[in-house]
Amino acid sequence: MGHKETIYQGILNGNMKAVEDATKTALSESVSAGELLSEAMIPAMAEVGRLFEANEYYVPEMLIAARAMKAGLALLRPELVKEEVEPLGKVVLGTVKGDLHDIGKNLVGIMIEGAGFEVVDLGVDVSPDAFVSAAKEQNADVIGLSALLTTTMPSMKSTIEAVKEAGLDGKVKVIIGGAPVTQKYADEIGADGYARDAAAAATLVKQLLGK
Ligand code: B1M
């Protein structure tokens, strides 16, 4: 089995050690981090989602698959993030209230960091007020909101409203993303931008800040 297949199967089976070993070996053999991500890790998580929908996987299987994916992602991180001397700006990032999914958000953070920005990661289940307080304290240029559940998307709207109420509208840009989120939804709730994946999120931050 090739390294990418081992990583793919390792995530599906929740075999963290197999994912770590194959990722390390592949990187040492100069397989690019981007290739491992887009051709093994992300397709594996998509398959986990499909199996969950088909009632072949349940929450415990999703959890151990996520743990294996995170272990692999941690090894890719140094390859994906370039060192920059002076950050181009500051981004406060988090998964919205009620939502515990963080793999996509973590990947978005890595890519934004890789593009030269400082990222302050607030974690998961972040309330609108917590986003606003952090943006003020950190003097952030951008707030990034991630949601993976249709039921938590409304918290993006509430966060944008809280940003406006705090008088940060215009000073801090709000960008949104996550599997169920669309450009149409971003327009509806008045977000400054939407990105469909982590690479697009990094490009969007650069565009919004004119970098
Ligand atoms: Co859950 N889950 N989950 N889950 N989970 C989904 C999202 C689901 C689609 C599965 C399914 O039914 N097919 C479904 C949502 C249905 C819906 O709302 N329409 C679902 C459900 C129902 C649930 C629970 C309700 C299950 C239950 O308890 N009965 C529960 C909710 C818990 C909660 O949050 N309150 C739940 C729990 C979990 C686990 C905890 C077990 C685990 C998460 C572990 C973790 O994250 N630490 C989990 C997982 C792993 C998934 C799937 C299988 C994989 C998600 C993932 O990591 N994808 C997922 C199915 C799927 O997505 N196919 C599913 C890989 C990741 C790289 O992609 O997160 O999409 P993604 O991120 C992408 C883009 O979306 C984008 O860029 C990223 C990288 O390119 N992006 C942004 C993300 N954020 C962005 C922000 C941006 C820009 C782009 O700007 C700021």
Side-chain angles (χ1 to χ4, degrees), residues 77 81-82 84 108-119:
R77 192 175 185 280
V81 175
K82 297 189 299 286
E84 293 282 335
V108 167
I110 289 172
M111 296 308 280
I112 293 177
E113 227 183 306
F117 297 87
E118 184 180 344
V119 173

Side-chain angles (χ1 to χ4, degrees), residues 147-160:
L148 262 287
L149 299 171
T150 45
T151 49
T152 57
M153 282 167 61
S155 190
M156 294 179 146
K157 185 168 187 267
S158 314
T159 305
I160 289 173

Side-chain angles (χ1 to χ4, degrees), residues 95-172:
T95 301
V96 298
K97 190 162 176 53
D99 202 322
L100 304 176
H101 296 85
D102 68 353
I103 294 174
K105 182 262 299 165
N106 294 346
L107 198 49
V108 167
I110 289 172
M111 296 308 280
I112 293 177
E113 227 183 306
F117 297 87
E118 184 180 344
V119 173
V120 179
D121 189 339
L122 304 182
V124 297
D125 192 19
V126 183
S127 70
D129 286 348
F131 275 113
V132 168
S133 305
K136 278 186 187 163
E137 278 163 24
Q138 298 288 338
N139 203 13
D141 303 292
V142 175
I143 298 176
L145 309 177
S146 177
L148 262 287
L149 299 171
T150 45
T151 49
T152 57
M153 282 167 61
S155 190
M156 294 179 146
K157 185 168 187 267
S158 314
T159 305
I160 289 173
E161 284 164 3
V163 167
K164 285 186 182 148
E165 276 164 27
L168 295 176
D169 198 17
K171 293 185 193 137
V172 183

Side-chain angles (χ1 to χ4, degrees), residues 79-100:
E79 304 295 321
L80 295 170
V81 175
K82 297 189 299 286
E83 286 292 322
E84 293 282 335
V85 184
E86 191 65 34
L88 298 172
K90 203 182 256 192
V91 179
V92 162
L93 181 67
T95 301
V96 298
K97 190 162 176 53
D99 202 322
L100 304 176

Side-chain angles (χ1 to χ4, degrees), residues 4 8 32-44 69 76 107:
K4 283 186 266 184
Y8 182 89
S32 80
E35 191 177 326
L36 296 176
L37 191 61
S38 62
E39 294 180 20
M41 294 186 187
I42 290 182
M69 163 110 183
L76 300 189
L107 198 49

